Amino acid sequence: MRWHGPAGSPAHLALHLGAREPLAEIESALARDPVLRQMLPHTSGIAIMRQDPWECLVSYVISAFNNIPKIRLSVEHLARRFGESIPNTSDAGSGDATREGIDGGHNPVGWTFPSPEQLAAASPAALRACALGYRARYVRDMARLVADGRLDLARIAGLPFDEARAALIELPGVGEKVADCVLLFAFGRGEAFPVDVWVQRAVERWYFSGRPTTPRAIRGWAKDRFGPLAGYAQQHLFVGARRRSRTS
DNA sequence: GTGGATCCTAAGTT
DNA sequence: AAACTTAGGATCC
C-alpha cells in the first residue's frame, strides 16, 4: 500500500481503514430505509476505506469482468513483481476478519503497491504474467499517463463530483462503475454509488419489485434516496446480496 | 474420497 | 454491441 503520509503511522492507518467513520450514526441513518433496516443486522460494521487513488484505480480496472480470487491474485503478482518489499513488517492484518465489499486486503502485507513509474517501466510481457489478461494494456497505458505527467489524480480529486467522474471515465479501462469506485473509495465522495451486477440485482429485487432497470437509472435513484450516504448504502446492499447468494 | 478433464463463470468496458 | 483474457470454481467422470 502507499500511504498518504508517514508510512504506517497510526493516524494514517486509521484514515486508510475508515476507522474514524461514525458508523453508529451512519447506520442509524441508513436504518430509516426499510430494506436496509432489515439488512443491517447481517451487514453491520462496514467501513468505507480511504484508499490511495492510484492503487484504487488500478485495482478496480482489474476488477472489471473478473472474479475476486483472481483480482487478488493479479494485485499480489503486481506487488511482488513490481512493488518494493516492506522491511520489518509483522503479519498483523493478514489474519484479520475480511472487510467485505472493500478492496482492502487485495494487496498482501509485504510489498508496496507499485507506483505509476514502476508499472510504466514494466514490459508488456511482464504485465501479462500477472494474469491481467486484456487489462494489462489498460494498466500500462494509465501508468504512462501518470508517469508522464499527463494525468494528475490529485488534481482530479479536487474537482467537483461530475467533473472528476468525467475525467476518470476518459481513462482506458475506466467506465462508470470503476469511476464511481474511485470516487467513493479513494476520493471519499460518499454520494458515489457504484452499480455492479450485484447491486443492480439487489436494487431491482428489493426496491423495484423485480423490474429490470439500467445502472444509470439506479444511480439517479440512489442519489435521491440516500444522498451523501449512497456509498454506504451501496456497500450494505452489495454485501447483503453476496451473502444471500452463497449456500448457507 | 481423490484427481483430472471439461465447461462455465466473473466488482464491466470497449 | 459482440467480444474480451484467464484463473478459479463447479460438475462429472
Side-chain angles (χ1 to χ4, degrees), chain A residues 199-213 218:
Chain A
V199 170
Q200 177 158 1
R201 275 184 221 141
V203 170
E204 287 172 351
R205 175 175 177 181
W206 294 328
Y207 291 93
F208 288 27
S209 42
R211 300 285 178 81
T213 322
I218 291 176

Side-chain angles (χ1 to χ4, degrees), chain A residues 139-232:
Chain A
V139 171
R140 187 171 152 90
D141 289 349
M142 282 194 304
R144 291 191 155 177
L145 286 175
V146 177
D148 295 350
R150 285 176 290 168
L151 169 62
D152 182 357
L153 290 174
R155 184 188 68 83
I156 294 178
L159 295 176
F161 187 90
D162 291 330
E163 290 176 40
R165 190 167 189 271
L168 289 169
I169 289 174
E170 294 293 314
L171 301 176
V174 179
E176 304 198 272
K177 189 269 181 179
V178 170
D180 286 332
C181 286
V182 174
L183 286 163
L184 181 59
F185 299 124
F187 295 163
R189 305 294 179 90
E191 65 269 48
F193 190 87
V195 180
D196 57 40
V197 291
W198 294 95
V199 170
Q200 177 158 1
R201 275 184 221 141
V203 170
E204 287 172 351
R205 175 175 177 181
W206 294 328
Y207 291 93
F208 288 27
S209 42
R211 300 285 178 81
T213 322
T214 65
R216 180 185 183 80
I218 291 176
R219 275 202 321 280
W221 167 87
K223 186 179 177 183
D224 286 347
R225 190 176 184 90
F226 303 114
L229 290 183
Y232 269 98

Side-chain angles (χ1 to χ4, degrees), chain A residues 90-98 105 107-109:
Chain A
S90 72
D91 274 354
S94 59
D96 211 321
T98 50
N107 184 15
V109 175

Side-chain angles (χ1 to χ4, degrees), chain A residues 28-115:
Chain A
S28 85
L30 291 177
R32 273 196 280 269
D33 178 285
V35 171
L36 290 178
R37 177 164 52 243
Q38 207 166 340
M39 188 95 62
L40 276 163
H42 307 283
T43 60
S44 178
I46 294 172
I48 291 181
M49 300 177 66
R50 183 67 72 98
Q51 290 190 289
D52 172 77
W54 171 245
E55 176 171 355
C56 182
L57 179 62
V58 175
S59 297
Y60 279 99
V61 165
I62 293 172
S63 81
F65 194 46
N66 210 343
N67 56 62
I68 291 176
K70 191 147 101 58
I71 297 164
R72 260 202 200 96
L73 182 71
S74 287
V75 173
E76 181 177 335
H77 274 139
L78 285 176
R80 291 190 51 132
R81 174 138 183 102
F82 304 111
E84 293 161 26
S85 74
I86 302 171
N88 194 24
T89 32
S90 72
D91 274 354
S94 59
D96 211 321
T98 50
R99 303 167 75 86
E100 255 187 280
I102 297 170
D103 186 48
H106 286 177
N107 184 15
V109 175
W111 290 269
T112 60
F113 187 82
S115 68

